[in-house]
Amino acid sequence: MNQIARRGKWFSIVCVLGSAVVFSVSTSFADDQSPCRVIGDKVNPRFTAVWVADDGIWAADDLNHSLILYDRLSGKEKKRIQGFATGLDFPAAVQVDLSFKLAGGKQGLIWASMNDTADRVTAYAKQDVDSTDTSPVDLGPAAVIRFNTIRFDGRAIYRRARVYGFHVDEQNDEIALGFEKGDFIDADGHASLGSVVIVNRGGADFSQLGTGKRWIRGAHTGLANPHGVWIDASHDEIYVANYGHLPQRAPQMPTVTVYDRLANGDATPKRTIQGSRTHLGMPIKVFVDDKNNELIVADDQEGILIFDRLANGDAMPKRMIASHNMPNGVFVDNTHDELVVANWEHRSIEFYARNWNDPRPRPKRAIEIAPDVPVVGLGNPGALAFARDEIIAPNCVSHPGFTSYERSSNGAVYPKRHVEGDNTQMSRSIHNLQVWEHPTDPRRDEVFVPKPLGNAILVFNRTDDGNVKPKRVIQGPATKLEDNDGVTVDDKEIAVPNRDNSILVFPRLGNGNIAPLRQITYLAGRKDPATGAWLGPWGEGSSIELGPAIWFDRKGTGDPGDDEIVVRARYTVRDPAANRTITQYVIAFFPRNANGPTIPTRIIASKELTGDHQVTVVGDEVLSAVQGNRAGNPPVFGGLAVHDATQSSTLNPDGRTLSDVPVKRLLRAGDLQGGLSGVRHPRAVAVDPVRREVYLGDSKGNDIRLFRVDWQNEPCLREAAAPTPPPSHGHEDHQQSRAASPAVGSPAAPGRPDIFGLGTELIDAPKGPNGIPFDLTSIFAFTSDFFHCVVLTNDQAFTMPTHGLGLVEIGKNQFFMSVDSVRIESLTMTTAGRVEFKGTARSITRVGDKFEEAIVPFNVVAVDGGPGFERDSLLLTVFYNEKDSPMQLAIFGLEAHFGHSILSGDIAIARK
């Protein structure tokens, strides 16, 4: 049995293991199925910021979207803020503000700023955080600043500018925000990119929280993709770290610019640190140490740089910690005379002497999280490409670059190659990328990367690795490129969806400041020349707003006229009678060789298409990554939507809106814990057309999940794995060699394995509210390659005895548990018909309002008792510990045994 499928109504308890188990959670016939593989790590943190407080070290984690408090000396985790209610979404900053008084009398806030589509700052009452235990707390913020509500002269100034820099000035009751995007070009030749906004902190008057006070922007500011910001209240100055990107031209050398604290408008810097002697590469955070009159820069590429506070021009650092661990947070702890550094790449927080003379200083101590597990560099993968048995993913957010993985990679693995650094010229918001494969020589393959911050298209060799320069760059006023974050390519041409909602087409070998070959725009239809009646085919007065998704679909018929350009977009039309604008998300198909105003040959409008992210076509099917809404609580999950590419909407009787084209298949999570698939907010989709595997890049999960294209009918392919060493990417001090990633294997013919199990099992029989016992069951499945079991919920309330929490009252539908193998380390057939698994598994448990996900050891003993299931047995043992799984330890104990009796199904173990 390879598949179980249920559709329509939710069913309460399901546990699936195996290559294909599917069920639906709504009338949309969505499927929720376990992935064949996952590239990612949802257990360990990845640090983007650090702040030293009296109670320990606060760190921001952009992998799990959390704030974590560690003990300064022992490194033990003390507190964690994490969950849907927190509003955390790629936090790039954390700061403790002890002087803030809330209306209810609570003292102190813990601030965090988001660096992606959540577009907000959140703050948590410190007293509420202090009152929690060591378990992760899903705490709602006490204060929120939404960037799209910031106004100057009555005008909203935020348009997807994205904020990285953040600093609170308690003394002057202000907050500085660094807007990464926004082009400013002057006729005198000066240009800048981004701005710095000063808003009210709300301490004196909470009603003024987030209101705009001053706005530093303009061509003469010297701002160039600002990242870290710092308000030096003692000297009335603002410091800004700039990556160096500029509009319509090559990047300048990175800088630290300094402004008067009250600067406003097109203000020139008081001082600028810039030049070859500065060692600035990708300066990401700044910290001003007033006590010692020093400026500390965390440089994502070069390490930690210490300058004199008044440094200017091409100044050398006073001291330097050379590091390729991608330091993202820095703090001077003058109380203990220490320099604290948080590393994104190395998953560590290091403590150095504040002052040192050693040219290669070593930390006094360090908090190292899972040092034997590779750090997965995926950050909101906004696009995926598949070529030459490799999956290529860009990092969309704070570390612009792209990474290549072996197709068969699984878990937390080292990449084959990684391209990143100031030489690459890549910027954030890479929402699409494409690979052109040379017909005979793989060494001449090319990767095409859009650059929205700078308005360019960058071209690299597919085999490039490290901090390399692009081989070609299309950029300049003649290109008409503006905020372009998508691209597609074929043998002859490049096509780009532009901010003006046109499709720009360039020659594939184009370079420099060149004009597009063609510019395609949307035409809704035509009127009857005789009567003036609207003939369609699309709504009169309608328009489309393009997203980054674009695809060249070559039909292979031999007739170029059959080929198409496929885009995702928002279709908009006015309803004058109701005085409203109607919007539908669509897939639009244009003729491949179109030019100028063009009527799409087909448009697919579908209620399942929310957003406008990556799209690809396989045969007669079009696959769309649907992100959903990450910002809400609860969030709205997206998924993978598959439509018949030959179908098309038509005009509804209202003459404006488009008919809905039903989805053929829809893959998404079945519950808020991620269900079986873990598909929550995918933005990226790519396909291996030979093996018919589809890869989904999840923007919130920071992972890549692999399924079959027709997951309802095609089982996962079995892989033969072989270890590969971690690459250095040109850095001698990168992570030491640790875990190995699997190599490419050959697809195996599908068939029932020698070791197989699928069925339902009684876990326990607790008493319900009426005192009558009821069955708490699971459905298990396994082969020699995996084990997976889930109890999705309980349909009755019950009282649960726990290891460390006493009796816990569990409300109806308040219990969830899953055990999903990550690695099978050994498989032993001890006697005929009896097999024992040992390995590590992802164990997820929700009990009431407590939730935990951890990687832990597990053991399974399965017995095939003969025909039928009556004499079969299955015993699962999971081993919990205080460090990795403290909540599940408190509930289940050190060794948790699950398994009572088989209720249905079959366990089959071949006798050899």
Side-chain angles (χ1 to χ4, degrees):
M1 180 175 182
N2 290 323
Q3 176 174 296
I4 294 178
R6 297 195 183 185
R7 290 180 172 160
K9 185 178 179 181
W10 176 280
F11 63 102
S12 61
I13 298 178
V14 61
C15 173
V16 294
L17 304 168
S19 56
V21 179
V22 180
F23 73 94
S24 172
V25 300
S26 72
T27 55
S28 62
F29 299 104
D31 296 330
D32 185 15
Q33 173 174 328
S34 298
C36 302
R37 297 189 297 278
V38 179
I39 303 173
D41 177 3
K42 280 299 293 178
V43 176
N44 300 299
R46 196 171 56 191
F47 300 126
T48 57
V50 67
W51 192 270
V52 178
D54 292 340
D55 52 354
I57 311 295
W58 278 101
D61 163 26
D62 77 347
L63 186 62
N64 300 293
H65 313 282
S66 67
L67 303 179
I68 309 172
L69 177 66
Y70 294 97
D71 185 89
R72 190 181 70 84
L73 294 176
S74 71
K76 182 179 179 180
E77 182 175 321
K78 299 171 65 176
K79 308 278 185 184
R80 183 187 290 244
I81 304 171
Q82 181 177 334
F84 295 136
T86 66
L88 292 169
D89 188 74
F90 289 97
V94 59
Q95 184 169 346
V96 179
D97 181 352
L98 294 177
S99 66
F100 202 102
K101 291 186 178 180
L102 291 165
K106 294 179 179 179
Q107 182 82 27
L109 288 176
I110 301 171
W111 296 91
S113 180
M114 310 309 130
N115 180 34
D116 203 51
T117 56
D119 294 330
R120 62 190 169 216
V121 167
T122 57
Y124 309 91
K126 191 172 185 304
Q127 287 181 239
D128 292 342
V129 176
D130 291 344
S131 66
T132 64
D133 58 21
T134 58
S135 300
V137 56
D138 192 5
L139 182 67
V144 178
I145 300 173
R146 301 188 184 280
F147 302 144
N148 57 12
T149 65
I150 300 173
R151 295 179 176 272
F152 283 86
D153 301 323
R155 180 174 65 92
I157 66 168
Y158 188 83
R159 185 187 182 276
R160 299 188 300 173
R162 302 298 180 251
V163 170
Y164 194 86
F166 171 87
H167 187 243
V168 176
D169 176 3
E170 297 182 48
Q171 179 177 318
N172 297 293
D173 201 23
E174 294 180 339
I175 297 174
L177 303 171
F179 282 25
E180 288 197 58
K181 300 181 183 180
D183 294 354
F184 299 92
I185 304 174
D186 199 307
D188 64 7
H190 285 84
S192 73
L193 195 155
S195 60
V196 175
V197 178
I198 309 300
V199 299
N200 197 304
R201 167 174 164 267
D205 182 356
F206 192 75
S207 68
Q208 295 300 303
L209 175 71
T211 56
K213 298 184 70 173
R214 297 180 301 282
W215 185 14
I216 303 174
R217 86 280 190 196
H220 301 88
T221 62
L223 294 170
N225 187 205
H227 276 68
V229 299
W230 188 276
I231 302 176
D232 180 6
S234 299
H235 301 96
D236 281 328
E237 292 181 329
I238 299 174
Y239 290 73
V240 183
N242 299 277
Y243 270 14
H245 297 296
L246 292 172
Q248 296 184 2
R249 63 197 71 186
Q252 64 178 19
M253 295 186 74
T255 62
V256 175
T257 49
V258 186
Y259 307 86
D260 185 271
R261 186 180 66 80
L262 298 177
N264 194 23
D266 194 7
T268 56
K270 295 173 63 176
R271 301 186 298 279
T272 299
I273 302 174
Q274 184 182 38
S276 58
R277 288 158 45 92
T278 67
H279 287 274
L280 292 172
M282 297 180 73
I284 197 166
K285 293 285 173 57
V286 287
F287 185 104
V288 176
D289 178 7
D290 286 327
K291 179 179 178 181
N292 299 291
N293 235 24
E294 290 182 333
L295 166 67
I296 299 89
V297 179
D299 192 289
D300 197 50
Q301 178 175 295
E302 300 298 323
I304 300 297
L305 313 175
I306 313 294
F307 295 92
D308 186 272
R309 185 182 61 82
L310 296 176
N312 192 23
D314 192 6
M316 287 187 66
K318 296 170 61 176
R319 301 184 302 282
M320 180 175 177
I321 303 173
S323 170
H324 293 294
N325 292 331
M326 302 175 74
N328 274 212
V330 65
F331 191 101
V332 176
D333 180 4
N334 279 309
T335 301
H336 302 98
D337 204 31
E338 290 181 332
L339 179 70
V340 185
V341 178
N343 296 306
W344 191 85
E345 169 78 2
H346 199 254
R347 203 190 289 116
S348 63
I349 300 173
E350 298 173 319
F351 300 81
Y352 294 84
R354 185 196 59 78
N355 199 358
W356 66 87
N357 296 316
D358 190 334
R360 293 182 65 85
R362 299 295 180 185
K364 297 161 57 178
R365 64 186 185 283
I367 301 171
E368 293 186 309
I369 311 297
D372 294 326
V373 178
V375 175
V376 177
L378 293 168
N380 190 349
L384 293 175
F386 180 83
R388 311 287 187 187
D389 272 354
E390 294 179 349
I391 305 167
I392 302 174
N395 191 320
C396 165
V397 191
S398 57
H399 303 86
F402 63 87
T403 304
S404 299
Y405 295 93
E406 290 278 9
R407 181 193 68 84
S408 59
S409 295
N410 194 18
V413 297
Y414 291 106
K416 290 182 66 176
R417 296 181 303 280
H418 180 70
V419 178
E420 180 177 345
D422 60 339
N423 289 333
T424 70
Q425 302 188 30
M426 282 186 280
S427 75
R428 68 164 298 148
S429 301
I430 303 172
H431 294 155
N432 210 334
L433 89 172
Q434 291 290 323
V435 177
W436 173 76
E437 295 187 48
H438 191 275
T440 60
D441 188 354
R443 295 170 299 177
R444 297 168 64 183
D445 295 347
E446 294 180 332
V447 179
F448 290 73
V449 180
K451 181 186 177 182
L453 277 68
N455 312 316
I457 302 169
L458 311 176
V459 186
F460 299 87
N461 290 314
R462 182 184 59 82
T463 55
D464 282 342
D465 195 9
N467 187 11
V468 299
K469 294 181 179 181
K471 61 190 297 187
R472 297 191 300 278
V473 179
I474 298 175
Q475 186 178 41
T479 67
K480 299 184 181 180
L481 290 168
E482 185 179 8
D483 197 20
N484 55 294
D485 55 353
V487 66
T488 191
V489 64
D490 66 8
D491 290 341
K492 295 182 178 180
E493 293 180 327
I494 310 164
V496 174
N498 209 39
R499 183 175 179 176
D500 62 4
N501 296 314
S502 68
I503 300 171
L504 303 179
V505 181
F506 299 91
R508 183 181 63 80
L509 295 175
N511 194 22
N513 184 23
I514 60 173
L517 298 173
R518 306 193 306 281
Q519 186 169 9
I520 305 168
T521 56
Y522 170 78
L523 182 64
R526 306 186 188 282
K527 290 183 177 180
D528 187 317
T531 65
W534 181 249
L535 300 177
W538 317 118
E540 185 175 6
S542 63
S543 61
I544 63 170
E545 179 181 339
L546 295 177
I550 187 167
W551 181 262
F552 277 142
D553 182 24
R554 291 189 294 177
K555 302 295 185 182
T557 62
D559 183 357
D562 293 336
D563 297 341
E564 294 179 315
I565 299 177
V566 185
V567 296
R568 289 183 64 187
R570 289 200 303 174
Y571 170 92
T572 302
V573 66
R574 285 287 299 169
D575 181 356
N579 192 27
R580 63 174 182 147
T581 298
I582 304 169
T583 297
Q584 296 174 275
Y585 286 100
V586 302
I587 306 167
F589 301 78
F590 290 89
R592 167 68 176 74
N593 295 320
N595 193 15
T598 303
I599 300 173
T601 54
R602 298 184 311 289
I603 293 180
I604 293 175
S606 173
K607 62 184 180 182
E608 304 295 354
L609 293 174
T610 57
D612 47 22
H613 298 290
Q614 200 170 15
V615 68
T616 187
V617 179
V618 180
D620 287 335
E621 293 186 331
V622 55
L623 287 69
S624 302
V626 180
Q627 179 176 241
N629 181 5
R630 295 190 341 227
N633 179 31
V636 178
F637 285 172
L640 173 63
V642 181
H643 288 87
D644 185 337
T646 66
Q647 292 193 13
S648 179
S649 298
T650 57
L651 270 181
N652 284 322
D654 61 13
R656 299 181 182 88
T657 60
L658 305 178
S659 64
D660 187 82
V661 175
V663 67
K664 285 184 66 176
R665 298 187 299 281
L666 178 63
L667 177 67
R668 66 181 174 202
D671 59 58
L672 289 179
Q673 282 71 44
L676 304 175
S677 66
V679 175
R680 295 178 170 115
H681 302 288
R683 297 181 70 164
V685 58
V687 170
D688 174 355
V690 175
R691 297 180 180 88
R692 288 184 55 78
E693 290 181 336
V694 59
Y695 312 101
L696 285 182
D698 197 282
S699 66
K700 186 87 175 196
N702 293 311
D703 57 30
I704 301 170
R705 294 176 177 266
L706 179 147
F707 303 87
R708 299 304 304 279
V709 170
D710 185 357
W711 58 85
Q712 295 174 340
N713 298 299
E714 298 172 341
C716 295
L717 300 175
R718 299 181 65 184
E719 301 291 339
T724 58
S728 68
H729 307 305
H731 298 324
E732 294 180 357
D733 58 346
H734 247 276
Q735 301 179 65
Q736 297 179 354
S737 177
R738 297 187 178 110
S741 58
V744 174
S746 301
R752 180 162 170 154
D754 293 335
I755 298 173
F756 173 85
L758 179 65
T760 62
E761 184 176 27
L762 178 64
I763 297 297
D764 202 353
K767 292 183 179 180
N770 55 8
I772 300 175
F774 70 96
D775 291 347
L776 188 63
T777 64
S778 67
I779 302 176
F780 62 87
F782 61 86
T783 69
S784 58
D785 298 321
F786 60 85
F787 181 92
H788 187 177
C789 183
V790 172
V791 179
L792 281 181
T793 190
N794 54 299
D795 58 9
Q796 296 187 45
F798 68 98
T799 301
M800 179 179 180
T802 67
H803 175 71
L805 303 176
L807 293 176
V808 175
E809 298 293 330
I810 310 297
K812 181 180 179 180
N813 296 328
Q814 290 294 301
F815 182 82
F816 169 90
M817 183 182 180
S818 69
V819 177
D820 188 358
S821 63
V822 173
R823 179 177 298 169
I824 303 295
E825 296 172 353
S826 68
L827 189 151
T828 305
M829 194 170 299
T830 55
T831 60
R834 186 181 188 275
V835 67
E836 182 175 355
F837 297 79
K838 291 184 179 180
T840 54
R842 177 176 285 103
S843 177
I844 302 175
T845 299
R846 178 172 68 89
V847 177
D849 61 352
K850 298 184 181 299
F851 175 84
E852 183 178 79
E853 177 177 345
I855 301 297
V856 294
F858 83 105
N859 173 278
V860 172
V861 176
V863 175
D864 177 3
F869 63 86
E870 290 80 2
R871 293 192 296 170
D872 293 349
S873 66
L874 182 75
L875 178 63
L876 164 66
T877 303
V878 186
F879 302 91
Y880 299 111
N881 62 78
E882 186 174 355
K883 178 183 177 182
D884 300 319
S885 51
M887 188 203 86
Q888 294 177 94
L889 171 65
I891 294 171
F892 301 117
L894 289 169
E895 292 188 17
H897 303 286
F898 304 98
H900 194 280
S901 58
I902 305 296
L903 300 177
S904 65
D906 185 29
I907 293 177
I909 300 172
R911 271 67 170 173
K912 294 185 178 180

